[in-house]
Structure formats: C-alpha cells, structure tokens
Amino acid sequence: SRQEFARAAEQYAIATDLAPTNPENWLQLIGLYLYQEKYPEVIRVGKKAIQYVPDQNDIYMYVAVASAQTKSYDEALEMLSTGLTYVDENDAVTKSFFYGQMGDVYHSSGNREKAYEMYDKALSYNASNLAVLNNYSYFLAIEGRDLNRAERMSAQTVKAEPDNATYLDTYAWIFFKQGNYSLARLYMKNALDKTEEPSAELFEHYGDILFMLGEVDEAV
C-alpha cells in the first residue's frame, strides 16, 4: 500500500542519513521511488546519493531513467555517460545495457541516427541484448528500412523468449511491413494470446493485418 511505501521510504531516508556512504540504503530508497514512478524524487535522491557514493553505476542508470521519463533527455544522457565511466572495463553486459539505454533516450528525443549508432555499440558489447534487439528492430520496422536486418534481430528475441508478447508484436509488425501478412497474422495472434491485458496498439496492429488479408469485418 501507499502507506507502507511511505513508511519504508522514511526508514531508508533515515538510514541514508546515518550511513551516507553505504550504497545499499540509497539503492533501496531510489528503487522505492522508481517503483512508484515518483521520478522527481528519484532524481533528487539520486543526485544526493552520487555525492556520497559516486562509483555506483546503478544510481546513474536510475536517475537517467527518471530524467528520460520527465523528458530531460540531455540530463539522462549525461547521467548515462558518467555512469558508464564506473562500469568495469570487462563488464560487457553492463556496458551494452548502458549504450542500449542511451539509444532509447536518443530515440525518444527524436535523434534516430544517433539512437541506431548507440544500439550498434550496445550490440557490439553484447550481441544478445534482447531489449536492444527488440527496440532496434521495431524502430526500423516503423520506418520501413533495413527490414531484413530487423527481421533477423527480432527473430533472436522471439527464439529467446517465445512467450514475450512485446517481442512477438515486433516480429509480426516486421512481417507486416514486408507484406508477409499471413506470417504477420500468426505472430500477432500469438502476441494477443500471450497478453493478459493487450494494449490498444496490439489490437490496432492486428486490425491492420486482418484488413490487408481482406478480413475487413474482423478488422473493424
């Protein structure tokens, strides 16, 4: 409940005051605010935390996520590039994660080319970063460019997580853009079946596919 969250936040806030150089308490407190989508609090507490524990890359990541949610894209990118300097040289998976987040932020801010550059970088560190493979291929599909590459990237995600509706939706949409409507239908139907509460976007995509297959009534 909200009361429990407020109480937990209060306790962790006291703990951070008592032991400000202990990163665990900061991470718990920031995590609570993030979970409740209290983005200004995440940013406020995160920046305070960085003064005491500047080497915790997770904190930069959380503040970046909150900044992106509040459309402060420059600040998000600054946090990500600073956080990246604290990632261990050999930790390719975390580096990939950071670059992937940078790609998302660039895309949200409207800079597609820079976004794709970051996604490429993310994949150079971890070729099976599923979030990046999915977002990259979906954005390419929306633009209708590099569809063969988009299909290959998306296929990797569906193989890895065949029950993930988001990944199935992307895969279906790529087939739609390629004009392969029967395959698009198969995967979109799957995506809908795997979702407890499908989004409006899923139904819209499925409608578009059915329409192209000539099933107009069903599409409507």
Side-chain angles (χ1 to χ4, degrees), residues 17-219:
D17 282 344
L18 291 173
T21 55
N22 177 346
E24 276 314 300
N25 298 326
W26 289 112
L27 287 164
Q28 292 285 353
L29 182 57
I30 294 165
L32 279 171
Y33 286 135
L34 200 56
Y35 184 75
Q36 297 175 86
E37 298 180 2
K38 292 187 172 175
Y39 302 121
E41 291 299 301
V42 173
I43 295 166
R44 182 183 64 78
V45 175
K47 285 182 168 175
K48 194 173 165 190
I50 285 165
Q51 293 171 357
Y52 293 101
V53 285
D55 60 344
Q56 296 292 311
N57 62 59
D58 286 357
I59 294 175
Y60 294 93
M61 176 61 72
Y62 292 148
V63 176
V65 168
S67 298
Q69 287 291 340
T70 55
K71 296 189 166 43
S72 310
Y73 300 123
D74 289 346
E75 179 157 42
L77 290 166
E78 197 182 315
M79 282 291 158
L80 289 167
S81 50
T82 308
L84 203 48
T85 62
Y86 293 106
V87 177
D88 187 277
E89 197 44 53
N90 304 314
D91 187 353
V93 169
T94 304
K95 282 190 167 180
S96 176
F97 185 63
F98 267 81
Y99 283 116
Q101 291 287 334
M102 282 174 150
D104 292 346
V105 173
Y106 274 119
H107 198 275
S108 299
S109 73
N111 190 339
R112 286 192 299 228
E113 294 314 313
K114 198 78 179 149
Y116 296 154
E117 198 183 301
M118 291 299 126
Y119 289 149
D120 283 330
K121 205 153 187 178
L123 294 173
S124 74
Y125 282 105
N126 174 17
S128 51
N129 181 330
L130 296 181
V132 168
L133 289 166
N134 176 68
N135 289 359
Y136 200 170
S137 52
Y138 185 64
F139 294 143
L140 287 174
I142 288 175
E143 281 190 69
R145 70 189 246 192
D146 273 343
L147 290 174
N148 289 341
R149 184 181 180 197
E151 187 195 321
R152 283 196 305 274
M153 289 195 291
S154 183
Q156 268 181 268
T157 69
V158 172
K159 273 186 197 138
E161 292 187 18
D163 292 337
N164 186 315
T166 304
Y167 297 168
L168 289 164
D169 171 47
T170 297
Y171 203 38
W173 202 237
I174 293 164
F175 286 125
F176 176 81
K177 286 292 198 144
Q178 289 174 329
N180 194 336
Y181 302 123
S182 48
L183 268 183
R185 178 197 188 156
L186 175 81
Y187 284 105
M188 194 58 77
K189 175 95 175 60
N190 240 316
L192 283 163
D193 291 343
K194 305 268 196 236
T195 318
E196 278 179 27
E197 292 179 16
S199 66
E201 194 177 33
L202 276 182
F203 283 120
E204 193 183 338
H205 282 172
Y206 195 42
D208 289 346
I209 292 164
L210 292 170
F211 184 82
M212 294 309 282
L213 284 164
E215 297 179 32
V216 180
D217 293 345
E218 182 75 7

